[in-house]
Amino acid sequence: MLVTLIGVYMITTGFAFAIVAPVLTPLAGAFRTGVATAAYISTFYFLGSLFMSMPAGLILDRWGPRKAGVLGLLLFAIGWSTSYFARSLPILLLGRLAVGMGAVALAIASAASIQQWFKPEESAFPIGLWAASLPIGIAWGEVLAGIMLERYGWREDFMIGLVFSLTGLAIYGAVVRPGPYGSPSDAQASGKDEGHGLEGVLRSVDVWKFGVAVLFESIPFMAVTTFWVTWLVKNGGISSLVLASSLASALGAAGIFGTLLAGYLSNRTGKRKPLFVVPSLAFGVALLGLIWTRGVDQMAAMSLIVGFTSYMPTTMMFAIPGQLVPARYAGAALGIALAFNTLAGVIGPIIVGYAYSIREALIIPAFAMFACASVGAAIAQTVDSE
């Protein structure tokens, strides 16, 4: 079951992230627009995820992980096919909107399915394994997208996405089933008792506080994934774009180990909140180090440190919401957290990009990102999740 969830998430969501950088310039040429406008394929992906986050959580709580995941994969297929046949940029962006909606629905369903197959105290490490599939999928997806683009063209990248989504749909629908820890009676008997069902979830202060904590922690994360290559070249003393791209890939490579370690430590210690708070603070401090980091060796080390610390809270982002509410409504709580995470994807690059444009130096954005990560950690510390 876990292998299925990892594989499907890797070939769908991972590839959806991976194609952005390779296709920007070809899309700008095909639709006679600028690269900045073509970059809306990333913005619309996050907007789709933002719009779908809370509804996907409610759908999960009503339908269960299997049906919710199938819905997400159907949205993937609709989105990829719409973009493939698009003859204008607005239609292509509508496709990316649907892909973003499918991605968040699949993420919420997959995390819930994992928690149905493992005991609550043992679920963090499997979630870490599953979360690690995203940077892996992005890494090989960028290579595949580049090869397909060079040999055939940008539309074939979108066709590959459609093939992956249909493949994932067939595998997910055939394999995923309710687990031994997912019956309604068990779910209602576990977790915190807010006493008001879904209304209690929406009124839970801890659910919303954790969502805000995720927002502040995710703003620097989204900015780093967007601007890292630019910062390496313009401010880090890296003259080769190829080398800068290679160093940027170290973010994801280190992130794999970060997600796994967070899950392992959570299973060993039984704690989750500290594994969100401490890495968030370490991430912020590491970003301050950008101000003084120069040269290949130092930037390579910084890429590993930033990647490792930035991805660790991701595992807890999926694991903590289920501790805040009755397990029956964990999907709604997770949907709120992912809504804030996606909102960071929309506004994070804008905020940090503006801070960088003031002087095109890293001192202002580094302090801004440190402040955001620190605020996120401070808010998360106040959440009653244990």
Side-chain angles (χ1 to χ4, degrees), residues 2 10 44 66 109 120 130-131 162 164 202 215 228 231 233 237 241 262-263 271 274 293 311 315 327 332 346 361 368:
L2 182 59
M10 185 188 304
F44 271 70
R66 183 172 181 270
W130 166 76
L162 175 60
F164 283 159
L202 298 178
L215 170 65
W228 197 250
W231 291 342
V233 173
L241 186 60
K271 302 292 184 181
T293 305
Y311 273 92
T315 302
V346 177

Side-chain angles (χ1 to χ4, degrees), residues 276-354:
F276 184 94
V277 172
V278 175
S280 296
L281 287 173
F283 177 37
V285 172
L287 291 172
L288 281 181
L290 280 174
I291 300 172
W292 300 280
T293 305
R294 297 290 185 275
V296 176
D297 292 342
Q298 291 183 11
M299 291 307 298
M302 182 59 68
S303 296
L304 292 174
I305 294 170
V306 169
F308 182 80
T309 55
S310 66
Y311 273 92
M312 284 190 74
T314 301
T315 302
M316 298 301 106
M317 180 181 70
F318 286 100
I320 289 176
Q323 294 184 314
L324 305 179
V325 297
R328 178 186 178 92
Y329 301 105
L334 179 56
I336 291 172
L338 289 185
F340 279 102
N341 174 255
T342 307
L343 179 60
V346 177
I347 67 174
I350 297 174
I351 294 172
V352 178
Y354 175 76

Side-chain angles (χ1 to χ4, degrees), residues 2-386:
L2 182 59
V3 172
T4 297
L5 295 172
I6 289 173
V8 171
Y9 195 63
M10 185 188 304
I11 66 174
T12 53
T13 305
F15 191 72
F17 270 99
I19 70 160
V20 173
V23 304
L24 283 184
T25 300
L27 284 180
F31 294 112
R32 298 180 181 180
T33 186
V35 172
T37 302
Y40 283 140
I41 66 169
S42 178
T43 302
F44 271 70
Y45 174 92
F46 282 115
L47 286 175
S49 296
L50 178 62
F51 295 152
M52 191 65 179
S53 294
M54 291 184 63
L58 298 176
I59 290 170
L60 168 68
D61 292 334
R62 179 174 291 272
W63 290 359
R66 183 172 181 270
K67 291 182 179 179
V70 166
L71 173 63
L73 289 162
L74 286 173
L75 288 169
F76 260 115
I78 292 170
W80 283 118
S81 58
T82 300
S83 294
Y84 176 78
F85 290 108
R87 291 296 180 267
S88 66
L89 185 59
I91 299 300
L92 186 143
L93 294 179
L94 285 177
R96 287 293 290 179
L97 193 76
V99 168
M101 295 171 67
V104 75
L106 178 62
I108 291 175
S110 298
S113 185
I114 291 172
Q115 293 179 32
Q116 286 193 354
W117 281 92
F118 294 89
K119 295 179 180 179
E121 64 273 14
E122 298 175 352
S123 64
F125 184 64
I127 289 176
L129 285 171
W130 166 76
S133 67
L134 181 59
I136 296 173
I138 293 173
W140 67 257
E142 287 179 342
V143 175
L144 176 61
I147 293 173
M148 295 298 295
L149 180 64
E150 186 176 278
R151 294 186 178 181
Y152 303 104
W154 67 265
R155 288 189 187 276
E156 278 61 34
D157 277 337
F158 288 85
M159 175 56 71
I160 290 295
L162 175 60
V163 171
F164 283 159
S165 62
L166 292 176
T167 302
L169 177 62
I171 296 173
Y172 190 99
V175 174
V176 173
R177 293 291 184 272
Y181 304 102
S183 68
S185 58
D186 291 342
Q188 292 180 50
S190 61
K192 288 189 175 183
D193 182 11
E194 295 289 343
H196 300 287
L198 178 59
E199 180 185 355
V201 175
L202 298 178
R203 293 170 57 185
S204 170
V205 175
D206 285 320
V207 168
W208 291 101
K209 282 198 299 185
F210 184 68
V212 174
V214 168
L215 170 65
F216 277 98
E217 190 279 333
S218 299
I219 284 175
F221 175 83
M222 298 298 182
V224 163
T225 57
T226 302
F227 296 116
W228 197 250
V229 172
T230 300
W231 291 342
L232 290 174
V233 173
K234 289 191 174 183
N235 306 95
I238 308 298
S239 58
S240 169
L241 186 60
V242 174
L243 177 58
S245 299
S246 299
L247 291 178
S249 68
L251 291 170
I256 295 170
F257 294 99
T259 56
L260 295 178
L261 180 62
Y264 172 76
L265 291 176
S266 178
N267 279 12
R268 293 280 295 183
T269 64
K271 302 292 184 181
R272 295 184 179 182
K273 184 170 68 175
L275 292 166
F276 184 94
V277 172
V278 175
S280 296
L281 287 173
F283 177 37
V285 172
L287 291 172
L288 281 181
L290 280 174
I291 300 172
W292 300 280
T293 305
R294 297 290 185 275
V296 176
D297 292 342
Q298 291 183 11
M299 291 307 298
M302 182 59 68
S303 296
L304 292 174
I305 294 170
V306 169
F308 182 80
T309 55
S310 66
Y311 273 92
M312 284 190 74
T314 301
T315 302
M316 298 301 106
M317 180 181 70
F318 286 100
I320 289 176
Q323 294 184 314
L324 305 179
V325 297
R328 178 186 178 92
Y329 301 105
L334 179 56
I336 291 172
L338 289 185
F340 279 102
N341 174 255
T342 307
L343 179 60
V346 177
I347 67 174
I350 297 174
I351 294 172
V352 178
Y354 175 76
Y356 178 73
S357 68
I358 295 174
R359 294 176 55 187
E360 291 201 355
L362 288 176
I363 184 168
I364 297 177
F367 273 101
M369 291 187 292
F370 167 75
C372 285
S374 299
V375 170
I379 295 174
Q381 182 61 34
T382 69
V383 174
D384 182 13
S385 64
E386 304 299 341

